[in-house]
């Protein structure tokens, strides 16, 4: 077992990886780095040894950069290894509180922790846990946004009576509810509304109806707890109208979201209920009305609560609207008719924390729809990273009670019940060293709580041995930093001059020829000797220890060590890339015999067959004749009673009465070949004659004759049957004729055809 472990360790080192003997983790190879800072930035598994006199003669200081275990095995004391690790500090950690746990003046806490600081090693991930517990009775603000185009006339009459019902439904889940109302139609320019003066005053399609002038958005009632005030203000509203089908719903949603003070939003759960029976205008549509400025995402409500810049700014885009709603913690509920339900369903996929429900033609089911949508939204928890710096990456593992989902870009749990605690494992990784501190937020959508995360990076070694004129460096001829002597001189201890004839002579020793580069361009010349880069060797760094042949994309097949471009194979392996086992066991058939059955050569423990032979051990000959094929000519000659010695090659032929089934077959004979049974005997051919098969002409002629004969026979049989049947019918006819009676003597009913006239005057004489 010990031998197997040693061999496995050697193979891993040969492949360029090292294994942690404690944790079993495999480290990637660390590249050469000339300083501690560069080393720890290169890979999270790389460390630096600051121990004095750690490097050996001819070994570059860059070899101080390696895995921590490798440095320890090479003799670097554990206290001298610089290997910064990730640090997690929790700054704010209020416990989850809700319901009876909340006492006077305290707030409900659904998210824990609320603030932490990470110190990250570049490339090294750091994980932490975020808990969430859905609170009961969390306050709700609901703003009802209604389409007042003419087609919503019936719906307005029902909405006027629904204030108390909406509050009653929401009071089932919370004790604090505020409700507000806003309406929208469209921009007051062509082609959205008619600009004829009379139509601007009364845009109803018929003169019999009275409509209020069109507008883009109006805040009718800011959020209030009074259901009576809601019904009063809504009852004052009248329907309006426009020309085209899409409405200014996006304008209304944008103003309702960004006008925080005017609408009266609190830091609670915010619901925006949007009702309409048609689609919406979006960014770019405003150009049809000569409106070119993109929506600026700011509040533009006048004293009357009307959006007065609608003819100046274009409609917002879907992405812009989604960003604003998410940033303001507003959850959208789209209550729309069945005809346009698919359109809003697609829109809901693009807007975070939104739901869609089918509205009846007169909006009579809107209260139930709001209640169902709120329950669906509040039971789905989304955890999003916001304002994430480009250098950082974040992933989530969502632990949702009975199941866990790994590797998500955002935390998601569905079906979360009130009072149920769930958790998320958040993993943060920094791709590079950061400049100062960076910040981002982890926030559950639709809930006014967040986790503030501050991130720093550990990119400084802080070896603590800095000495500008260290005695270790040739008695003050160099500065010491992280175990390395530098500044002004060469050599491990700054013992060599950098100028003068002496320096020139020393540099010449580092050249392979008069015109060659120092250390072949792959090392540093110090004190007349080359200190080679990692994976280079030789007196002048001319050897590349990574230029050996590869097998299965592994240097020396993982079965040897690369030395100056040549593989030095481990025991039991051979070949240019150590790809071949030294033994030839796979080339010998299981039944024994010659290598490759004598029909090939064994190369790299595999048979390379001669031409005409195939198979693992070259047993099958694809061009060789069988015994039947070899002696077929011989037997044909024998059956023709010719002189067959040349064809039969001395084989003895004898005719028998019967042969086994596994024989060779000819048209007029079957035979078998018996190999010699003893030395000096010859091959014996036993055969049995058989009748020659009929010719094709005979078969065809016989078949045709048979068909003709059978056809004639059937015709004759048919004619005979008809003949006897006709005779029988004629005989029956004759019998019937004989039975007929045509005179009065035989037939009492017979009356003669002649009329007899009696003359009374006639007297017979």
């Amino acid at each position: 077992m010990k031998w197997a472990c040693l061999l496995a360790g050697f193979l891993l080192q040969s492949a360029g990886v090292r294994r942690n003997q404690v944790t079993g983790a495999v480290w990637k190879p660390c590249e050469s780095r000339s300083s501690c800072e560069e080393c720890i930035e290169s890979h999270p598994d790389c460390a630096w040894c600051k121990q004095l006199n750690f490097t050996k003669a001819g070994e570059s200081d860059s070899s101080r950069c390696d895995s921590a275990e490798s440095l320890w095995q090479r003799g670097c004391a554990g206290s001298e290894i610089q290997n910064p690790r990730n640090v997690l500090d929790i700054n704010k950690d209020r416990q989850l509180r809700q319901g009876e746990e909340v006492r006077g003046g305290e707030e409900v806490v659904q998210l824990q922790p609320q603030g932490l600081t990470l110190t990250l090693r570049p490339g090294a991930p750091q994980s932490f846990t975020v808990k969430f517990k859905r609170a009961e009775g969390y306050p709700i603000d609901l703003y009802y946004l209604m389409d007042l185009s003419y087609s919503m006339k019936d719906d307005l009459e029902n909405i006027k009576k629904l204030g108390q019902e909406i509050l009653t439904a929401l009071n089932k889940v919370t004790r604090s509810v505020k409700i507000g109302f806003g309406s929208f139609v469209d921009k007051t320019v062509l082609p959205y509304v008619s600009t004829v003066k009379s139509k601007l005053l009364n845009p109803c399609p018929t003169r019999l109806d009275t409509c209020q002038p069109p507008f883009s958005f109006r805040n009718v009632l800011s959020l209030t707890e009074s259901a009576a005030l809601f019904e009063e203000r809504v009852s004052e509203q009248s329907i309006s109208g426009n020309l085209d089908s899409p409405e200014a719903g996006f304008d209304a949603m944008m103003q309702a979201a960004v006008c925080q003070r005017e609408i009266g939003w609190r830091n609670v759960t915010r619901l925006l209920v949007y009702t309409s029976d048609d689609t919406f205008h979006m960014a770019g549509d405003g150009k049809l009305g000569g409106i070119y400025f993109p929506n600026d995402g700011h509040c533009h409500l006048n004293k009357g609560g009307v959006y007065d810049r609608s003819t100046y700014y274009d409609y917002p885009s879907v992405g812009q609207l989604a960003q604003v709603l998410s940033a303001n913690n507003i959850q959208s509920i789209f209550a729309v008719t069945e005809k346009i339900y698919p359109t809003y369903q697609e829109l809901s996929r693009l807007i975070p924390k939104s739901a869609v429900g089918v509205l009846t033609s007169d909006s009579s089911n809107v209260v139930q729809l709001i209640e169902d949508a709120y329950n669906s939204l509040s039971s789905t928890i989304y955890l999003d990273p916001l304002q994430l710096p480009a250098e950082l990456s974040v992933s989530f593992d969502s632990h949702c009670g009975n199941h866990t989902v790994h590797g998500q870009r955002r935390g998601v749990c569905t079906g979360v019940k009130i009072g149920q605690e769930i958790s998320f494992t958040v993993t943060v990784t920094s791709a590079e060293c950061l400049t100062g501190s960076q910040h981002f937020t982890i926030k559950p959508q639709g809930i006014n709580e967040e986790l503030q995360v501050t991130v720093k990076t550990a990119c400084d070694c802080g070896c603590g041995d800095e000495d500008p004129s260290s005695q270790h460096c040739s008695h003050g001829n160099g500065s010491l930093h992280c175990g390395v002597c530098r500044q002004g001189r060469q050599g491990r201890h700054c013992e060599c001059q950098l100028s003068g004839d002496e320096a020139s002579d020393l540099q010449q020793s580092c050249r392979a020829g008069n015109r060659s580069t120092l250390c072949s361009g792959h090392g540093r010349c110090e004190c007349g000797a080359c200190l080679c880069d990692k994976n280079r060797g030789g007196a002048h760094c001319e050897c590349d220890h990574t230029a050996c042949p590869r097998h299965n994309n592994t240097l020396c097949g993982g079965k040897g060590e690369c030395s100056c471009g040549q593989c030095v194979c481990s025991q039991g392996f051979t070949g240019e890339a150590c790809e071949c086992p030294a033994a030839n066991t796979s080339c010998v058939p299981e039944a024994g015999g010659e290598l490759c059955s004598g029909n090939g050569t064994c190369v790299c423990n595999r048979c390379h067959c001669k031409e005409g032979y195939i198979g693992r051990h070259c047993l099958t000959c694809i061009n060789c004749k069988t015994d039947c094929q070899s002696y077929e000519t011989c037997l044909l000659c024998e059956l023709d009673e010719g002189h067959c010695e040349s064809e039969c090659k001395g084989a003895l032929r004898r005719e028998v009465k019967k042969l086994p089934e596994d024989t060779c077959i000819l048209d007029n004979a079957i035979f078998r070949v018996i190999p010699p049974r003893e030395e000096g005997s010859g091959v014996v051919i036993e055969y049995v004659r058989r009748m020659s098969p009929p010719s094709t002409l005979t078969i065809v002629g016989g078949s045709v004759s048979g068909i003709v004969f059978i056809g004639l026979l059937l015709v004759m049989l048919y004619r005979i049957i008809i003949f006897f049947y006709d005779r029988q019918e004629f005989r029956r006819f004759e019998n019937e004729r004989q039975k007929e009676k045509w005179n009065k003597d035989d037939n009492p009913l017979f009356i003669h055809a002649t009329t007899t006239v009696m003359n009374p005057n006639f007297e017979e004489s």
Side-chain angles (χ1 to χ4, degrees), residues 746-763:
D746 298 327
N747 186 356
L749 298 178
F750 175 78
I751 298 175
H752 200 280
T754 304
T755 302
T756 304
V757 179
M758 298 297 296
N759 188 350
N761 298 320
F762 177 76
E763 291 182 3

Side-chain angles (χ1 to χ4, degrees), residues 292-313:
Y292 295 96
F293 288 101
N295 194 286
D296 65 349
H298 293 155
C299 181
H300 297 289
L301 298 185
N302 60 22
K303 292 182 180 180
V306 177
Y307 176 36
D308 59 3
R309 303 290 281 174
S310 66
T311 58
Y312 186 80
Y313 291 113

Side-chain angles (χ1 to χ4, degrees), residues 10 20-21 132-133 226 258 292 300 340 351 427 458 474 517 652 662 696 703 734:
F10 172 76
N20 187 320
Q21 300 299 327
F132 182 87
K133 189 174 184 179
S226 173
V258 298
Y292 295 96
H300 297 289
I340 57 172
I351 296 182
T427 302
S474 296
T517 57
L652 179 64
D662 53 341
T696 304
S703 300
E734 289 294 327

Side-chain angles (χ1 to χ4, degrees), residues 339-353:
K339 177 185 69 174
I340 57 172
Y341 176 79
T343 301
Y344 282 87
Q345 198 172 30
E346 293 299 321
L347 176 64
S348 177
R349 293 190 177 99
L350 302 175
I351 296 182
K353 204 74 171 177

